[in-house]
Coordinates of all heavy atoms in Angstrom, one line a residue:
M1 N 19.9 15.4 44.9 CA 21.2 15.9 44.7 C 21.9 16.1 46.0 O 23.1 15.7 46.1 CB 21.0 17.3 44.0 CG 22.4 18.0 43.7 SD 23.2 17.2 42.3 CE 24.2 18.5 41.8
L2 N 21.2 16.6 47.0 CA 21.9 16.7 48.3 C 22.3 15.4 48.8 O 23.4 15.3 49.4 CB 20.9 17.4 49.3 CG 21.6 17.8 50.6 CD1 22.8 18.7 50.5 CD2 20.5 18.5 51.5
H3 N 21.5 14.3 48.7 CA 21.9 13.0 49.1 C 23.2 12.6 48.3 O 24.1 12.0 48.9 CB 20.8 12.0 48.8 CG 21.2 10.6 49.0 ND1 21.4 10.1 50.3 CD2 21.4 9.6 48.2 CE1 21.8 8.8 50.2 NE2 21.8 8.5 48.9
W4 N 23.3 12.8 47.0 CA 24.5 12.5 46.3 C 25.7 13.2 46.8 O 26.8 12.6 47.0 CB 24.3 12.9 44.8 CG 25.4 12.5 43.9 CD1 25.6 11.3 43.3 CD2 26.6 13.3 43.6 NE1 26.8 11.3 42.6 CE2 27.4 12.5 42.8 CE3 27.0 14.5 44.0 CZ2 28.6 13.0 42.3 CZ3 28.2 15.0 43.5 CH2 29.0 14.2 42.7
L5 N 25.5 14.5 47.1 CA 26.7 15.3 47.7 C 27.1 14.7 49.0 O 28.3 14.5 49.2 CB 26.3 16.8 47.8 CG 26.2 17.6 46.6 CD1 25.6 18.9 46.9 CD2 27.6 17.7 45.9
H6 N 26.2 14.4 49.9 CA 26.6 13.9 51.2 C 27.2 12.5 51.1 O 28.1 12.2 51.8 CB 25.3 13.8 52.1 CG 25.0 15.1 52.8 ND1 25.8 15.7 53.7 CD2 24.0 16.0 52.6 CE1 25.3 16.8 54.1 NE2 24.2 17.0 53.4
R7 N 26.7 11.7 50.1 CA 27.3 10.4 49.9 C 28.7 10.5 49.4 O 29.6 9.7 49.7 CB 26.4 9.6 49.0 CG 26.7 8.1 48.9 CD 25.7 7.4 48.1 NE 25.5 8.2 46.8 CZ 24.9 7.8 45.8 NH1 24.4 6.7 45.7 NH2 24.8 8.6 44.7
H8 N 29.0 11.4 48.5 CA 30.3 11.5 47.9 C 31.3 12.4 48.6 O 32.5 12.3 48.3 CB 30.1 12.0 46.4 CG 29.5 10.9 45.5 ND1 28.2 10.7 45.5 CD2 30.1 10.0 44.8 CE1 27.9 9.7 44.6 NE2 29.1 9.3 44.2
L9 N 30.8 13.2 49.5 CA 31.7 13.9 50.4 C 32.1 13.0 51.5 O 31.3 12.6 52.3 CB 31.0 15.2 51.0 CG 30.9 16.4 50.1 CD1 30.1 17.5 50.8 CD2 32.3 16.9 49.7
Q10 N 33.3 12.6 51.6 CA 33.8 11.7 52.6 C 34.2 12.6 53.8 O 35.2 13.3 53.8 CB 35.0 10.9 52.1 CG 34.6 10.0 50.9 CD 35.8 9.4 50.3 OE1 36.9 9.6 50.6 NE2 35.5 8.5 49.4
R11 N 33.4 12.5 54.8 CA 33.5 13.4 56.0 C 34.9 13.4 56.6 O 35.5 14.5 56.8 CB 32.5 13.0 57.1 CG 32.5 13.9 58.3 CD 31.4 13.5 59.3 NE 31.5 14.3 60.4 CZ 30.9 15.5 60.6 NH1 30.2 16.0 59.6 NH2 31.0 16.2 61.7
P12 N 35.6 12.3 56.8 CA 36.9 12.4 57.4 C 37.9 13.1 56.5 O 38.7 13.9 56.9 CB 37.3 10.9 57.6 CG 36.0 10.1 57.6 CD 35.1 10.9 56.8
A13 N 37.8 12.8 55.2 CA 38.7 13.5 54.2 C 38.4 15.0 54.1 O 39.4 15.8 54.1 CB 38.5 12.8 52.8
V14 N 37.2 15.4 54.1 CA 36.8 16.8 54.1 C 37.3 17.5 55.4 O 38.0 18.6 55.3 CB 35.3 17.0 53.9 CG1 34.9 18.5 54.1 CG2 34.9 16.5 52.5
L15 N 37.1 16.9 56.5 CA 37.5 17.5 57.8 C 39.0 17.6 57.9 O 39.6 18.6 58.3 CB 36.9 16.7 59.0 CG 35.4 16.9 59.2 CD1 35.0 15.9 60.3 CD2 35.0 18.3 59.5
S16 N 39.7 16.6 57.4 CA 41.1 16.6 57.4 C 41.7 17.7 56.5 O 42.6 18.4 56.9 CB 41.7 15.2 56.9 OG 43.1 15.2 56.8
R17 N 41.2 17.8 55.3 CA 41.6 18.8 54.4 C 41.3 20.2 54.9 O 42.1 21.1 54.8 CB 41.0 18.6 53.0 CG 41.6 19.5 52.0 CD 43.1 19.3 51.8 NE 43.6 20.3 50.9 CZ 44.7 21.0 51.1 NH1 45.5 20.7 52.1 NH2 45.1 21.9 50.2
L18 N 40.1 20.4 55.4 CA 39.8 21.7 56.0 C 40.7 22.1 57.1 O 41.1 23.2 57.3 CB 38.3 21.7 56.4 CG 37.3 21.8 55.3 CD1 35.9 21.7 55.9 CD2 37.4 23.1 54.5
G19 N 41.0 21.1 58.0 CA 41.9 21.3 59.1 C 43.3 21.7 58.5 O 43.9 22.7 59.1
E20 N 43.8 21.1 57.5 CA 45.1 21.5 56.9 C 45.0 22.9 56.4 O 45.9 23.7 56.6 CB 45.4 20.5 55.8 CG 45.8 19.1 56.2 CD 45.9 18.2 55.0 OE1 46.2 18.7 53.9 OE2 45.8 17.0 55.2
V21 N 44.0 23.2 55.6 CA 43.8 24.5 55.0 C 43.8 25.6 56.1 O 44.4 26.6 56.0 CB 42.6 24.6 54.1 CG1 42.3 26.0 53.7 CG2 42.8 23.7 52.9
T22 N 42.9 25.4 57.1 CA 42.8 26.4 58.1 C 44.0 26.5 59.0 O 44.4 27.6 59.4 CB 41.5 26.1 59.0 OG1 41.6 24.8 59.6 CG2 40.3 26.3 58.2
S23 N 44.7 25.5 59.2 CA 46.0 25.6 60.0 C 47.0 26.3 59.2 O 47.8 27.1 59.8 CB 46.5 24.2 60.5 OG 46.9 23.5 59.5
K24 N 47.1 26.1 57.9 CA 48.1 26.8 57.1 C 47.7 28.3 57.1 O 48.6 29.1 57.1 CB 48.1 26.2 55.7 CG 48.8 24.9 55.6 CD 48.8 24.3 54.2 CE 49.4 22.9 54.2 NZ 49.2 22.3 52.9
S25 N 46.4 28.6 56.9 CA 46.0 30.0 56.9 C 46.2 30.6 58.3 O 46.7 31.8 58.3 CB 44.4 30.1 56.6 OG 44.2 29.6 55.3
A26 N 46.0 29.9 59.4 CA 46.3 30.4 60.7 C 47.8 30.7 60.9 O 48.1 31.7 61.5 CB 45.7 29.5 61.8
N27 N 48.6 29.8 60.3 CA 50.0 30.0 60.5 C 50.5 31.3 59.7 O 51.3 32.0 60.1 CB 50.8 28.8 60.0 CG 50.7 27.7 60.9 OD1 50.5 27.8 62.1 ND2 50.9 26.5 60.4
R28 N 49.8 31.5 58.6 CA 50.2 32.7 57.8 C 49.6 34.0 58.4 O 50.2 35.0 58.4 CB 49.6 32.6 56.4 CG 50.4 31.7 55.5 CD 50.0 31.8 54.0 NE 48.6 31.6 53.8 CZ 48.1 30.4 53.4 NH1 48.9 29.4 53.3 NH2 46.8 30.3 53.2
R29 N 48.4 33.8 59.0 CA 47.8 35.0 59.7 C 47.4 34.6 61.1 O 46.3 34.1 61.3 CB 46.5 35.4 58.8 CG 46.9 35.9 57.5 CD 45.7 36.3 56.7 NE 45.0 35.1 56.2 CZ 43.8 35.1 55.7 NH1 43.0 36.1 55.8 NH2 43.2 34.0 55.2
K30 N 48.2 34.7 62.0 CA 48.0 34.2 63.4 C 46.8 34.7 64.0 O 46.2 34.1 64.9 CB 49.2 34.6 64.2 CG 50.5 34.0 63.7 CD 51.2 33.1 64.7 CE 52.5 32.6 64.2 NZ 52.5 31.3 63.7
W31 N 46.3 35.9 63.6 CA 45.1 36.4 64.2 C 43.8 35.8 63.7 O 42.7 36.1 64.3 CB 45.0 37.9 63.9 CG 45.2 38.3 62.5 CD1 46.4 38.5 61.9 CD2 44.2 38.3 61.5 NE1 46.2 38.7 60.5 CE2 44.9 38.6 60.3 CE3 42.8 38.1 61.5 CZ2 44.2 38.7 59.0 CZ3 42.2 38.2 60.3 CH2 42.8 38.5 59.1
R32 N 43.9 35.0 62.7 CA 42.7 34.4 62.1 C 41.9 33.5 63.1 O 42.4 32.5 63.6 CB 43.0 33.6 60.9 CG 41.8 33.1 60.2 CD 42.1 32.2 59.0 NE 40.9 31.7 58.5 CZ 40.5 31.8 57.3 NH1 41.3 32.4 56.4 NH2 39.3 31.3 56.9
T33 N 40.6 33.9 63.3 CA 39.8 33.1 64.2 C 38.5 32.8 63.4 O 37.6 32.1 64.0 CB 39.4 33.9 65.5 OG1 38.8 35.1 65.1 CG2 40.6 34.1 66.3
L34 N 38.4 33.1 62.2 CA 37.1 32.9 61.4 C 37.1 31.4 60.9 O 38.1 30.8 60.8 CB 37.1 33.8 60.2 CG 37.1 35.3 60.5 CD1 37.2 36.1 59.2 CD2 35.9 35.7 61.2
P35 N 35.9 30.9 60.7 CA 35.8 29.6 60.1 C 36.4 29.5 58.7 O 36.5 30.6 58.1 CB 34.3 29.3 60.2 CG 33.7 30.6 60.1 CD 34.6 31.6 60.8
P36 N 36.6 28.4 58.2 CA 37.1 28.3 56.8 C 36.0 28.9 55.9 O 34.8 28.8 56.1 CB 37.2 26.8 56.5 CG 37.0 26.1 57.8 CD 36.5 27.1 58.8
S37 N 36.5 29.5 54.8 CA 35.5 30.1 53.8 C 35.6 29.4 52.5 O 36.6 28.9 52.1 CB 35.9 31.6 53.7 OG 37.2 31.7 53.2
A38 N 34.5 29.4 51.8 CA 34.4 28.8 50.5 C 33.6 29.7 49.5 O 32.7 30.4 49.9 CB 33.7 27.5 50.6
L39 N 34.1 29.7 48.3 CA 33.4 30.4 47.2 C 32.8 29.3 46.3 O 33.5 28.5 45.8 CB 34.3 31.3 46.4 CG 33.7 32.1 45.3 CD1 32.6 33.1 45.8 CD2 34.8 32.8 44.5
V40 N 31.5 29.4 46.1 CA 30.8 28.4 45.3 C 30.4 29.1 44.0 O 29.7 30.1 44.0 CB 29.5 27.8 46.0 CG1 28.8 26.8 45.1 CG2 29.9 27.2 47.3
V41 N 30.9 28.6 42.9 CA 30.7 29.3 41.6 C 29.9 28.3 40.7 O 30.5 27.3 40.3 CB 32.1 29.6 40.9 CG1 31.8 30.4 39.6 CG2 33.0 30.4 41.8
D42 N 28.7 28.7 40.4 CA 27.8 27.8 39.6 C 26.7 28.6 39.0 O 26.1 29.4 39.7 CB 27.3 26.7 40.4 CG 26.8 25.5 39.5 OD1 26.1 25.7 38.6 OD2 27.3 24.4 39.8
D43 N 26.5 28.4 37.7 CA 25.5 29.2 37.0 C 24.1 28.5 37.1 O 23.1 29.1 36.7 CB 25.8 29.4 35.5 CG 26.0 28.1 34.7 OD1 26.1 27.0 35.4 OD2 26.1 28.2 33.5
D44 N 24.0 27.4 37.7 CA 22.7 26.7 38.0 C 22.2 27.2 39.4 O 22.9 26.8 40.4 CB 22.8 25.2 37.9 CG 21.5 24.5 38.1 OD1 20.6 25.1 38.7 OD2 21.5 23.3 37.7
P45 N 21.1 27.9 39.4 CA 20.7 28.5 40.7 C 20.3 27.4 41.7 O 20.2 27.7 42.9 CB 19.5 29.4 40.4 CG 19.1 28.9 39.1 CD 20.3 28.3 38.4
D46 N 20.1 26.2 41.3 CA 19.7 25.1 42.2 C 20.9 24.4 42.8 O 20.7 23.7 43.9 CB 18.8 24.1 41.5 CG 17.5 24.6 41.0 OD1 17.0 25.5 41.7 OD2 17.0 24.2 39.9
V47 N 22.1 24.5 42.2 CA 23.2 23.7 42.7 C 23.9 24.4 43.9 O 24.3 23.7 44.9 CB 24.2 23.5 41.5 CG1 25.5 22.9 42.0 CG2 23.6 22.6 40.5
A48 N 24.2 25.7 43.8 CA 24.9 26.4 44.9 C 24.3 26.2 46.2 O 25.0 25.9 47.2 CB 25.1 27.9 44.5
P49 N 23.0 26.3 46.4 CA 22.4 26.1 47.8 C 22.6 24.7 48.3 O 22.8 24.4 49.4 CB 20.9 26.4 47.6 CG 20.8 27.2 46.4 CD 21.9 26.8 45.5
L50 N 22.6 23.7 47.3 CA 22.9 22.3 47.7 C 24.3 22.1 48.2 O 24.6 21.4 49.2 CB 22.6 21.4 46.6 CG 21.1 21.3 46.2 CD1 21.0 20.4 44.9 CD2 20.3 20.7 47.3
V51 N 25.3 22.7 47.5 CA 26.7 22.6 47.9 C 26.9 23.3 49.2 O 27.6 22.7 50.1 CB 27.6 23.2 46.8 CG1 29.0 23.3 47.3 CG2 27.5 22.4 45.5
M52 N 26.3 24.4 49.4 CA 26.4 25.2 50.6 C 25.8 24.4 51.8 O 26.4 24.3 52.9 CB 25.8 26.6 50.5 CG 26.6 27.4 49.5 SD 25.7 28.9 49.0 CE 25.8 29.9 50.5
A53 N 24.7 23.7 51.5 CA 24.1 22.9 52.6 C 24.9 21.7 52.9 O 25.0 21.3 54.1 CB 22.7 22.4 52.1
A54 N 25.6 21.2 51.9 CA 26.5 20.0 52.2 C 27.7 20.4 53.0 O 28.3 19.6 53.7 CB 26.9 19.4 50.8
L55 N 28.1 21.7 52.9 CA 29.3 22.1 53.6 C 28.9 22.7 55.0 O 29.8 22.8 55.9 CB 30.1 23.2 52.8 CG 30.8 22.7 51.6 CD1 31.3 23.9 50.8 CD2 31.9 21.8 51.9
E56 N 27.7 23.0 55.2 CA 27.2 23.5 56.5 C 27.7 22.7 57.7 O 28.1 23.2 58.7 CB 25.7 23.7 56.5 CG 25.2 24.4 57.7 CD 23.7 24.7 57.6 OE1 23.1 24.3 56.6 OE2 23.2 25.2 58.6
P57 N 27.6 21.3 57.7 CA 28.0 20.6 58.9 C 29.5 20.7 59.2 O 29.9 20.4 60.3 CB 27.7 19.1 58.5 CG 26.7 19.2 57.4 CD 27.0 20.5 56.7
Y58 N 30.2 21.2 58.2 CA 31.7 21.4 58.5 C 32.0 22.8 58.9 O 33.2 23.2 59.0 CB 32.4 21.0 57.2 CG 32.1 19.7 56.7 CD1 31.3 19.5 55.6 CD2 32.6 18.5 57.3 CE1 31.0 18.2 55.1 CE2 32.3 17.2 56.8 CZ 31.4 17.1 55.7 OH 31.1 15.9 55.3
S59 N 31.0 23.6 59.2 CA 31.2 25.0 59.7 C 32.0 25.8 58.7 O 32.8 26.6 59.1 CB 31.9 25.0 61.0 OG 31.1 24.3 62.0
V60 N 31.7 25.6 57.4 CA 32.3 26.4 56.3 C 31.5 27.6 56.0 O 30.3 27.5 55.8 CB 32.6 25.6 55.1 CG1 33.2 26.4 54.0 CG2 33.5 24.4 55.4
S61 N 32.0 28.8 56.0 CA 31.3 30.0 55.7 C 31.3 30.1 54.1 O 32.4 30.2 53.5 CB 32.0 31.2 56.3 OG 31.5 32.4 55.8
C62 N 30.2 30.1 53.5 CA 30.1 30.0 52.1 C 29.5 31.3 51.5 O 28.6 31.9 52.0 CB 29.2 28.8 51.6 SG 29.8 27.2 52.0
E63 N 30.0 31.6 50.3 CA 29.4 32.6 49.5 C 29.2 32.0 48.1 O 30.1 31.3 47.6 CB 30.3 33.8 49.4 CG 29.8 34.9 48.5 CD 30.8 36.1 48.5 OE1 31.7 36.2 49.3 OE2 30.5 37.0 47.7
A64 N 28.1 32.3 47.4 CA 27.8 31.8 46.1 C 27.8 32.9 45.1 O 27.2 34.0 45.4 CB 26.5 31.0 46.1
V65 N 28.3 32.7 43.9 CA 28.2 33.6 42.8 C 27.8 32.8 41.5 O 28.1 31.7 41.4 CB 29.6 34.4 42.5 CG1 29.9 35.2 43.7 CG2 30.7 33.4 42.3
P66 N 27.1 33.5 40.6 CA 26.5 32.8 39.5 C 27.4 32.7 38.2 O 26.9 32.0 37.3 CB 25.3 33.7 39.2 CG 25.7 35.1 39.5 CD 26.6 34.9 40.7
D67 N 28.6 33.3 38.2 CA 29.3 33.2 37.0 C 30.8 33.4 37.2 O 31.2 33.9 38.3 CB 28.8 34.2 35.9 CG 28.8 35.6 36.4 OD1 29.9 36.1 36.8 OD2 27.7 36.2 36.5
G68 N 31.6 33.1 36.2 CA 33.1 33.3 36.4 C 33.6 34.7 36.6 O 34.5 34.9 37.3
A69 N 32.9 35.6 35.9 CA 33.3 37.0 36.0 C 33.1 37.6 37.4 O 34.0 38.2 38.0 CB 32.6 37.9 35.0
T70 N 32.0 37.2 38.0 CA 31.7 37.6 39.4 C 32.7 36.9 40.3 O 33.1 37.6 41.3 CB 30.2 37.3 39.7 OG1 29.4 37.9 38.8 CG2 29.9 37.8 41.1
A71 N 33.0 35.7 40.0 CA 33.9 35.0 40.9 C 35.3 35.6 40.9 O 35.9 35.8 41.9 CB 34.1 33.5 40.4
L72 N 35.8 36.0 39.7 CA 37.1 36.7 39.6 C 37.0 38.0 40.4 O 38.0 38.4 41.1 CB 37.4 37.0 38.2 CG 37.9 35.8 37.4 CD1 38.1 36.2 35.9 CD2 39.1 35.2 38.0
A73 N 35.9 38.8 40.3 CA 35.8 40.0 41.1 C 35.9 39.7 42.6 O 36.6 40.5 43.3 CB 34.5 40.7 40.7
R74 N 35.2 38.7 43.0 CA 35.2 38.3 44.5 C 36.6 37.9 44.9 O 37.0 38.2 46.0 CB 34.2 37.2 44.8 CG 32.7 37.7 44.6 CD 32.3 38.8 45.5 NE 32.6 38.5 46.9 CZ 33.1 39.4 47.8 NH1 33.4 40.6 47.4 NH2 33.4 39.1 49.0
L75 N 37.3 37.2 44.0 CA 38.6 36.7 44.4 C 39.6 37.8 44.5 O 40.6 37.7 45.2 CB 39.1 35.6 43.4 CG 38.3 34.3 43.5 CD1 38.6 33.4 42.3 CD2 38.7 33.6 44.8
R76 N 39.4 38.9 43.7 CA 40.3 40.0 43.8 C 40.0 40.8 45.1 O 40.9 41.4 45.6 CB 40.0 41.0 42.6 CG 40.6 40.5 41.3 CD 40.4 41.5 40.2 NE 40.8 40.9 39.0 CZ 40.0 40.4 38.0 NH1 38.7 40.6 38.2 NH2 40.5 39.9 36.9
A77 N 38.8 40.7 45.7 CA 38.5 41.4 46.9 C 38.7 40.6 48.2 O 38.8 41.2 49.2 CB 37.0 41.8 46.8
Q78 N 38.7 39.3 48.1 CA 38.7 38.5 49.3 C 39.4 37.1 49.0 O 39.4 36.6 47.9 CB 37.3 38.2 49.8 CG 37.2 37.4 51.0 CD 35.8 37.2 51.5 OE1 34.9 38.0 51.2 NE2 35.5 36.1 52.2
R79 N 40.1 36.6 50.1 CA 40.7 35.3 50.0 C 39.7 34.2 50.5 O 39.0 34.5 51.5 CB 42.0 35.3 50.8 CG 43.1 36.1 50.2 CD 44.3 36.0 51.0 NE 44.8 34.6 50.9 CZ 46.0 34.2 51.2 NH1 46.8 35.0 51.7 NH2 46.3 33.0 51.1
Y80 N 39.7 33.1 49.9 CA 38.9 32.0 50.3 C 39.8 30.8 50.5 O 40.8 30.6 49.9 CB 37.9 31.6 49.2 CG 36.9 32.7 49.0 CD1 37.1 33.7 48.0 CD2 35.7 32.7 49.7 CE1 36.2 34.7 47.8 CE2 34.8 33.8 49.5 CZ 35.0 34.7 48.6 OH 34.1 35.7 48.4
D81 N 39.4 29.9 51.4 CA 40.1 28.7 51.7 C 39.8 27.6 50.7 O 40.6 26.7 50.5 CB 39.8 28.2 53.1 CG 40.2 29.2 54.2 OD1 41.4 29.6 54.2 OD2 39.4 29.6 55.0
L82 N 38.6 27.7 50.1 CA 38.1 26.6 49.2 C 37.3 27.3 48.1 O 36.5 28.2 48.4 CB 37.2 25.7 50.1 CG 36.5 24.6 49.3 CD1 37.4 23.6 48.8 CD2 35.5 23.9 50.3
I83 N 37.5 26.8 46.9 CA 36.7 27.3 45.8 C 36.1 26.0 45.1 O 36.8 25.1 44.8 CB 37.5 28.0 44.7 CG1 38.2 29.3 45.4 CG2 36.7 28.4 43.5 CD1 39.2 30.0 44.5
I84 N 34.8 26.1 45.0 CA 34.1 25.0 44.3 C 33.5 25.6 43.0 O 32.7 26.5 43.1 CB 32.9 24.4 45.2 CG1 33.5 23.8 46.5 CG2 32.1 23.4 44.4 CD1 32.5 23.4 47.5
L85 N 34.0 25.1 41.9 CA 33.9 25.7 40.6 C 33.2 24.8 39.6 O 33.7 23.7 39.4 CB 35.3 26.1 40.1 CG 35.4 26.8 38.8 CD1 34.7 28.1 38.8 CD2 36.9 27.0 38.5
D86 N 32.1 25.3 39.0 CA 31.5 24.5 37.9 C 32.3 24.8 36.7 O 32.6 25.9 36.3 CB 30.1 25.1 37.7 CG 29.3 24.5 36.6 OD1 29.9 23.5 36.0 OD2 28.2 24.9 36.3
L87 N 32.8 23.7 36.1 CA 33.7 23.9 34.9 C 32.9 24.2 33.7 O 33.5 24.8 32.7 CB 34.5 22.6 34.7 CG 35.5 22.3 35.8 CD1 36.2 21.0 35.5 CD2 36.5 23.4 36.0
A88 N 31.7 23.8 33.6 CA 30.9 24.0 32.3 C 29.9 25.1 32.4 O 28.7 24.9 32.4 CB 30.2 22.7 32.0
M89 N 30.3 26.3 32.7 CA 29.4 27.5 32.7 C 29.4 28.2 31.4 O 30.4 28.2 30.7 CB 29.9 28.4 33.9 CG 29.7 27.9 35.2 SD 30.2 29.1 36.5 CE 31.9 29.2 36.2
H90 N 28.3 28.9 31.2 CA 28.2 29.8 30.0 C 29.1 31.0 30.3 O 29.3 31.4 31.4 CB 26.8 30.2 29.8 CG 25.9 29.1 29.5 ND1 25.9 28.4 28.3 CD2 24.9 28.5 30.2 CE1 25.0 27.4 28.3 NE2 24.4 27.5 29.5
G91 N 29.6 31.6 29.2 CA 30.5 32.8 29.3 C 31.9 32.3 29.8 O 32.5 31.5 29.1
L92 N 32.3 32.9 30.8 CA 33.6 32.6 31.4 C 33.5 31.3 32.2 O 33.0 31.2 33.3 CB 34.1 33.7 32.3 CG 35.5 33.6 32.9 CD1 36.6 33.5 31.8 CD2 35.8 34.8 33.7
S93 N 34.0 30.2 31.6 CA 33.8 28.9 32.2 C 34.9 28.6 33.3 O 35.8 29.4 33.5 CB 33.9 27.8 31.2 OG 35.3 27.6 30.8
G94 N 34.8 27.5 33.9 CA 35.8 27.1 35.0 C 37.1 26.6 34.4 O 38.0 26.4 35.1
F95 N 37.2 26.5 33.1 CA 38.4 26.0 32.5 C 39.3 27.2 32.3 O 40.4 27.3 32.1 CB 38.2 25.3 31.1 CG 37.6 24.0 31.3 CD1 36.3 23.7 31.0 CD2 38.3 22.9 31.8 CE1 35.7 22.5 31.1 CE2 37.8 21.7 31.9 CZ 36.5 21.4 31.6

């Protein structure tokens, strides 16, 4: 799975988009010096660590949650630059 993620994540595109996101965030909050942040939402306990490992080379600070309800609670408490969302979860899905 990790090989698939690395193969399908196009490094230049990811770095370019993260640069855009972080520069927009920095423009909105000039004091921001933290790395880009991501929320990984997946009910499969094996997937989130793989996604987080795939983002590690890009210096993305990741947090993983196991379901949509927990993700909504985290989103109310904190802003993220990137959300990776499993669309087919039990309960509150990504749709």
